[in-house]
Amino acid sequence: MRALQASTSYSISSFGISSAAPSPPSRRRHVVFSKAEPTEKSVEIMRKFSEQYARRSDTYFCVDKGVTSVVIKGLAEHKDTLGAPLCPCRHYDDKAAEAQQGFWNCPCVPMRERKECHCMLFLTPENDFAGQDQTITLEEIRETTSNM
């Protein structure tokens, strides 16, 4: 055992000798290359919802319509896959549980209570990134997300 490197520790268990050194990387890799596109119907539903909510809450879409488009498509995808427009700009350990709970369903609680939209979909007029628009067309969404 003296010939072993000092940085590698070994222990004896009921299954034999095991090394605490990192194991070599696995040759199997699991990679997902694409996400399902949301249905056109869901994109249109979320587009109309976003316009209506922006007017009702006196908020505006981002000056960069690409931001607005990506968020609307993300909401539509979650509507299709989860049955609820879960915020697409956050990480969730369990999306289905989060969607069922409702806290992060659009408009999320921080938006409803304090007008704080993490996604930058609904921006207050004093926000530096707020544009002048409360509308976006389906064609604008298609154009700004066509390369994604």
Side-chain angles (χ1 to χ4, degrees):
M1 293 288 263
R2 286 186 192 194
L4 297 175
Q5 292 180 356
S7 63
T8 304
S9 63
Y10 289 85
S11 65
I12 299 176
S13 68
S14 59
F15 298 103
I17 298 176
S18 64
S19 168
S23 59
S26 172
R27 291 187 186 269
R28 284 191 273 165
R29 297 184 192 264
H30 301 280
V31 179
V32 177
F33 288 103
S34 66
K35 296 191 295 187
E37 281 289 310
T39 63
E40 185 125 336
K41 179 181 177 183
S42 291
V43 173
E44 180 63 8
I45 289 168
M46 295 316 306
R47 181 190 72 79
K48 287 180 178 179
F49 157 77
S50 298
E51 288 181 343
Q52 181 182 26
Y53 192 79
R55 285 190 302 272
R56 262 193 8 226
S57 62
D58 193 31
T59 57
Y60 296 86
F61 295 144
C62 185
V63 68
D64 178 354
K65 289 284 185 101
V67 172
T68 304
S69 299
V70 168
V71 175
I72 289 173
K73 282 186 81 172
L75 290 168
E77 180 184 337
H78 283 164
K79 184 139 179 64
D80 286 343
T81 59
L82 302 168
L86 184 67
C87 174
C89 302
R90 304 185 66 79
H91 170 76
Y92 309 98
D93 290 329
D94 185 344
K95 285 184 181 183
E98 291 288 346
Q100 190 173 21
Q101 184 202 23
F103 188 89
W104 293 113
N105 290 345
C106 190
C108 65
V109 172
M111 180 60 206
R112 291 188 308 249
E113 291 180 354
R114 299 181 301 277
K115 289 191 178 182
E116 293 174 3
C117 181
H118 177 76
C119 295
M120 294 180 60
L121 179 58
F122 304 114
L123 300 171
T124 56
E126 61 274 358
N127 188 301
D128 291 339
F129 296 102
Q132 299 295 313
D133 296 326
Q134 293 177 315
T135 61
I136 187 168
T137 65
L138 197 53
E139 188 57 35
E140 285 177 297
I141 294 171
R142 281 192 203 110
E143 286 176 12
T144 55
T145 60
S146 64
N147 294 332
M148 297 180 160

